[in-house]
Amino acid sequence: MNTADAIITCTALEKHYTRGGETVRVLESIDLSLERGAFVALMGPSGSGKTTLLNLFAGIDRPTAGSLTVDGHDIVKLSRAALAQWRASSVGYVFQLYHLVPVLTAYENVELPLYLQPISRRERHLRVSEALESVGIADRHAHYPRQLSGGQEQRVAIARAIVTQPALLLADEPTGDLDRTSAAGIMELLSHLHRDRGQTIVMVTHDPATAHHAQRTVFLEKGRLVDAPEVHR
Amino acid sequence: MINRRTLIGLIVLAWRGLVRRPTRSGLVVAGVMVAVFLFCTVDAMRTGVERATSRASQETALIVYRQNRFCPFTSALPQYYENAISKIPGVVSVTPVKIVVSNCRASLDVVTFRGVPAEDFALSHAASTSPREMSDWLKRGDSALLGKELAERRRLKAGDRFTAAGVDAYVAGIMQSDAPQDQSSAFVHLPFLQEQAKRGSTGGIVTQFDVRIADPSKLDEVALAIDAQFATDQTPTTTRAETAHVARAATDVIALIGFARLLGFAALAAVFALIANAIVLSMRSRQREVSVLQTLGFGGAHLATLVMVESLILGTVGGVLGAGASYAMVALSRTALTMEGVAIAVPPSIGIAVAGIVIAIALSLAAGLVPAVIASRQTIVCGFRS
């Protein structure tokens, strides 16, 4: 792949923690390049470092060593404030447990990241409405998270992640807490975002059936990329 | 650093967060409100005492009391002292006053009868009541002109009769004077009150003389001259400036208010602790929420601002409610502290209310500072692990 087409490029990426005086090597020597517009699944057993790698891509955690360029930014060198600003405009993140703000309605949760954008109130309203519409939850806009099902909450979380039109959408086991029907709906939605909008998606999952929706699957084991057959649709 | 649109968004976010956690926010606001109410009310009392007891540079009023007597029941002076006092150089007028109170101790509901020479009083207080009421008062020997606070407190109007401290009087009218001593007093004819309060002694006895002098700089000089005049008499006198007389009568109240003021400051310390505690607990229970906001791109400055705005809203709302309630209570209740026949009005003050609000705001900002710094420095991953 031409590096000019890559949205994520990492070289010799490492992440270590010190726990009880002992160094835990969560990620080791990760060399990876993911192309813009791709739908990539990160797979591996529990503790293999999938979520940590996703967090590094999102700039919500810092690598111990190595280089990491996302959407043209060397995010390792960005200051804390610059990194936050970059996240606000370039990354959308979907959590396994949705993490909606409980005292805000679906509309207000989706509106949250737009407070950081230099847009008018009218533009904000249009974008929120469009995002809610695109995830099929517009009729629940005035509902609080406690009034929504798991699948509906995750749809709101996806709307919140895409409302800023980020270059990169990261999803950490987006169907991990959902029943089969809701999970299928969420995967259909992500596929639709990728297919119709060309959205770059990197998704962590345990489930091969879920990974099946992705164009490419990257395997991790004990913090290292392993040679496994890449699954192409 | 934070643009206007984002700031408005953060304020809206903070407001929604507080309004939609009504129990927690309500309890904090109620705590702040009570503390600010206490502070403002005590400060209003302190201001009243300060006004009543601080000697003004232009003060010309002296009170002549019986020496070593501290209560209207025991201060008895011969009325004929009036002539001798009026001849002392510098004295402009002398008014013999008989005082009978329903309660000699400090109280918020005391009826103070002031027996005064009718003609002199009518001349000096002509503007305080309507000509018809004044004429009615002059005609009837058992009539009283009531201060408006006393009339409101006892729900009395012209034409009523009332009895207090063993004195039965007819209400000729209501006075509109703003002077504290007038507002909770019932002015009656001097001979009438002397007769009513005789209790075995003869008439011609008064409680005190109200003396006016021409030159404020000679207040102490004239006071000494009056006391020297009667030093070897059977009933020697002690003469003080009116404010000093009030201060002496209110010694115990002043001490109590001094202590209450400490309680007021303690209440403000409680405001600080209350808001700080509420914000710290709130942020601790919302660590994940903070991490979510950080993931969405909210930086340290945004989060610190959010916490400060929350703290500011709690302090401002509580401060406004507490100061407003205190102002309304003081203004509506028209409270006067009365002791030994001396009344000290507790005045409503916009200045005190504003000071209460400003202090609550300042304390809320100080209380939010540490939680704001903690929230701004929280790492995203740690927040999610919490």
Side-chain angles (χ1 to χ4, degrees), chain A:
Chain A
M1 182 185 13
N2 187 341
T3 52
D5 297 336
I7 191 164
I8 298 175
T9 309
C10 55
T11 312
L13 201 63
E14 309 240 339
K15 180 66 186 177
H16 306 160
Y17 293 114
T18 305
R19 197 176 292 159
E22 208 173 300
T23 302
V24 180
R25 296 174 185 279
V26 184
L27 291 173
E28 284 189 275
S29 306
I30 303 290
D31 295 309
L32 185 65
S33 186
L34 302 178
E35 69 182 297
R36 194 178 295 274
F39 187 169
V40 180
L42 280 178
M43 286 194 76
S46 292
S48 59
K50 306 182 296 292
T51 297
T52 302
L53 186 58
L54 199 74
N55 288 346
L56 293 180
F57 291 164
I60 63 177
D61 203 356
R62 299 263 192 185
T64 310
S67 71
L68 174 59
T69 304
V70 183
D71 193 26
H73 292 85
D74 184 353
I75 63 169
V76 178
K77 290 180 181 166
L78 291 180
S79 68
R80 202 179 149 100
L83 197 57
Q85 208 169 358
W86 170 78
R87 273 197 306 273
S89 57
S90 301
V91 177
Y93 199 105
V94 179
F95 302 93
Q96 180 182 352
L97 297 175
Y98 336 124
H99 287 317
L100 300 178
V101 179
V103 293
L104 300 180
T105 63
Y107 182 97
E108 291 160 355
N109 264 288
V110 177
E111 189 183 29
L112 261 181
L114 294 182
Y115 285 135
L116 304 172
Q117 308 290 332
I119 56 173
S120 67
R121 199 173 160 181
R122 183 181 158 77
E123 171 73 10
R124 206 164 66 214
H125 174 70
L126 286 173
R127 285 217 209 164
V128 174
S129 301
E130 191 196 339
L132 285 168
E133 192 72 46
S134 68
V135 298
I137 202 88
D139 58 333
R140 296 279 189 274
H141 70 96
H143 287 60
Y144 288 95
R146 64 177 180 278
Q147 299 168 320
L148 300 171
S149 69
Q152 288 170 331
E153 278 196 78
Q154 194 61 296
R155 283 173 186 271
V156 175
I158 291 170
R160 182 178 66 183
I162 62 170
V163 74
T164 56
Q165 296 159 0
L168 181 62
L169 178 62
L170 303 170
D172 186 6
E173 302 205 37
T175 60
D177 206 47
L178 299 175
D179 60 63
R180 190 176 293 177
T181 312
S182 301
I186 292 297
M187 287 318 301
E188 184 53 43
L189 174 60
L190 291 176
S191 299
H192 163 78
L193 288 171
H194 168 247
R195 197 172 52 239
D196 295 357
R197 295 187 175 195
Q199 179 71 58
T200 308
I201 301 174
V202 180
M203 173 183 70
V204 166
T205 182
H206 276 108
D207 181 12
T210 302
H212 182 70
H213 288 81
Q215 288 174 309
R216 178 185 172 191
T217 303
V218 174
F219 290 91
L220 276 166
E221 201 172 296
K222 293 179 181 173
R224 289 175 179 274
L225 292 177
V226 292
D227 288 333
E230 290 190 354
V231 181
H232 292 278
R233 277 207 302 179

Side-chain angles (χ1 to χ4, degrees), chain B residues 81-201:
Chain B
Y81 277 13
E82 181 184 355
N83 282 336
I85 296 170
S86 63
K87 287 174 186 160
I88 291 172
V91 171
V92 174
S93 69
V94 184
T95 307
V97 180
K98 176 73 183 172
I99 295 177
V100 174
V101 291
S102 60
N103 182 354
C104 206
R105 293 173 300 175
S107 172
L108 295 174
D109 182 24
V110 174
V111 178
T112 305
F113 285 98
R114 289 177 174 265
V116 288
E119 298 296 335
D120 293 349
F121 184 81
L123 280 175
S124 62
H125 286 72
S128 300
T129 186
S130 70
R132 191 184 57 77
E133 288 180 342
M134 187 60 88
S135 161
D136 201 15
W137 183 72
L138 282 169
K139 278 183 209 158
R140 289 189 62 150
D142 66 340
S143 62
L145 283 173
L146 304 188
K148 59 183 175 187
E149 277 182 19
L150 172 61
E152 282 169 12
R153 208 164 61 225
R154 294 272 171 141
R155 297 198 176 101
L156 292 168
K157 58 184 187 306
D160 290 346
R161 288 200 76 85
F162 81 107
T163 303
V167 178
D168 182 55
Y170 164 80
V171 180
I174 311 298
M175 290 172 55
Q176 297 304 314
S177 166
D178 286 328
Q181 304 306 334
D182 293 350
Q183 290 186 15
S184 53
S185 294
F187 289 90
V188 294
H189 295 222
L190 179 58
F192 167 72
L193 195 59
Q194 285 172 322
E195 186 62 29
Q196 290 273 316
K198 199 157 54 176
R199 294 196 179 100
S201 64

